[in-house]
Amino acid sequence: SDSEDHLFKVILLGEHGVGKSSLARIFGGVEDLQDVEEAGNTYDRSIVVDGEEASLLVFDIWEQDDNHWLHNQCMKMGDAYVIVYSVTDKASFEKASELRIQLRRARQSEDIPIILVGNKSDLVRSREVTVEEGRACAVVFDCKFIETSAALHHNVKDLFEGIVRQIRLRKDSK
Ligand code: GDP
Ligand code: MG
């Protein structure tokens, strides 16, 4: 099997502050979860999912600058997308829907895997978006859904394994 076949580009989308970089750094195995404001990072890692290895290239570059060209590139280059909102921020949830629509427009007929992620599930008392709302949104927008907590490392592994499974499902059905 060709190794190119198993290298998947995953793009993180979502509003500022929702936890994209935190999720990416956990994936990348970066221990230090300090709040460093970096221009943008890419994390390259192989994970074994269902007994088979997959290499993911995770791009945390959406906020690198407000460059229209970069945003267009992001919409074009992914094999899969992670659209992140914070369950404590209703506006970020609405933004996630907007991004889903933008993505659909950019990739028209393509059936690319998209996971809607409600992050910061640990912040129970400041929750503004319910699990049900998140799930319902994913149904409407025809994508997968998961709630995560980067702070507690909860469901982060499942998130990235889920992406690999989604990509494989589509490849197998071709
Ligand atoms: P980004 O702007 O989307 O890249 O978001 P960051 O990853 O920089 O996170 C923004 C802020 O939210 C930081 O202070 C993080 O420590 C915090 N944060 C990220 N994920 C979580 C989480 O799951 N729970 C909590 N309580 N805080 C989080
Ligand atoms: Mg960031």
Side-chain angles (χ1 to χ4, degrees), residues 3-20:
S3 70
E4 285 257 309
D5 266 4
H6 298 276
L7 179 67
F8 305 131
K9 294 193 279 296
V10 179
I11 320 285
L12 287 159
L13 307 177
E15 215 164 64
H16 180 70
V18 296
K20 297 182 299 300

Side-chain angles (χ1 to χ4, degrees), residues 155-167:
N155 269 353
V156 180
K157 192 163 171 272
D158 294 61
L159 163 63
F160 288 100
E161 289 180 359
I163 292 165
V164 171
R165 290 199 183 96
Q166 285 302 304
I167 295 171

Side-chain angles (χ1 to χ4, degrees), residues 12-35:
L12 287 159
L13 307 177
E15 215 164 64
H16 180 70
V18 296
K20 297 182 299 300
S21 298
S22 302
L23 291 168
R25 271 180 277 168
I26 292 170
F27 170 77
V30 181
E31 291 299 320
D32 185 18
L33 283 182
Q34 298 285 332
D35 291 336

Side-chain angles (χ1 to χ4, degrees), residues 4-160:
E4 285 257 309
D5 266 4
H6 298 276
L7 179 67
F8 305 131
K9 294 193 279 296
V10 179
I11 320 285
L12 287 159
L13 307 177
E15 215 164 64
H16 180 70
V18 296
K20 297 182 299 300
S21 298
S22 302
L23 291 168
R25 271 180 277 168
I26 292 170
F27 170 77
V30 181
E31 291 299 320
D32 185 18
L33 283 182
Q34 298 285 332
D35 291 336
V36 273
E37 284 294 333
E38 287 149 335
N41 264 311
T42 301
Y43 301 88
D44 181 353
R45 216 184 117 197
S46 292
I47 54 174
V48 175
V49 182
D50 304 324
E52 201 187 326
E53 193 169 70
S55 295
L56 295 187
L57 207 50
V58 172
F59 291 85
D60 178 30
I61 59 172
W62 184 245
E63 291 188 75
Q64 200 161 304
D65 52 47
D66 258 332
N67 182 324
H68 203 256
W69 180 88
L70 176 76
H71 281 184
N72 278 332
Q73 270 316 103
C74 282
M75 290 299 189
K76 280 181 198 153
M77 69 193 274
D79 295 310
Y81 289 85
V82 177
I83 303 180
V84 188
Y85 67 91
S86 165
V87 301
T88 65
D89 179 3
K90 193 85 176 186
S92 74
F93 181 58
E94 278 148 19
K95 181 68 184 179
S97 298
E98 247 174 71
L99 288 166
R100 176 68 185 92
I101 291 165
Q102 255 179 275
L103 195 51
R104 179 179 284 157
R105 202 177 293 139
R107 303 293 287 267
Q108 300 273 352
S109 56
E110 290 172 78
D111 181 25
I112 31 166
I114 297 167
I115 327 285
L116 180 67
V117 176
N119 187 46
K120 306 198 187 183
S121 63
D122 59 290
L123 297 177
V124 179
R125 300 181 73 102
S126 42
R127 186 185 271 273
E128 290 183 358
V129 184
T130 65
V131 184
E132 291 73 26
E133 285 175 296
R135 206 174 282 137
C137 181
V139 170
V140 169
F141 286 109
D142 188 27
C143 57
K144 290 279 169 187
F145 173 69
I146 194 168
E147 277 200 354
T148 58
S149 166
L152 302 179
H153 286 218
H154 180 249
N155 269 353
V156 180
K157 192 163 171 272
D158 294 61
L159 163 63
F160 288 100

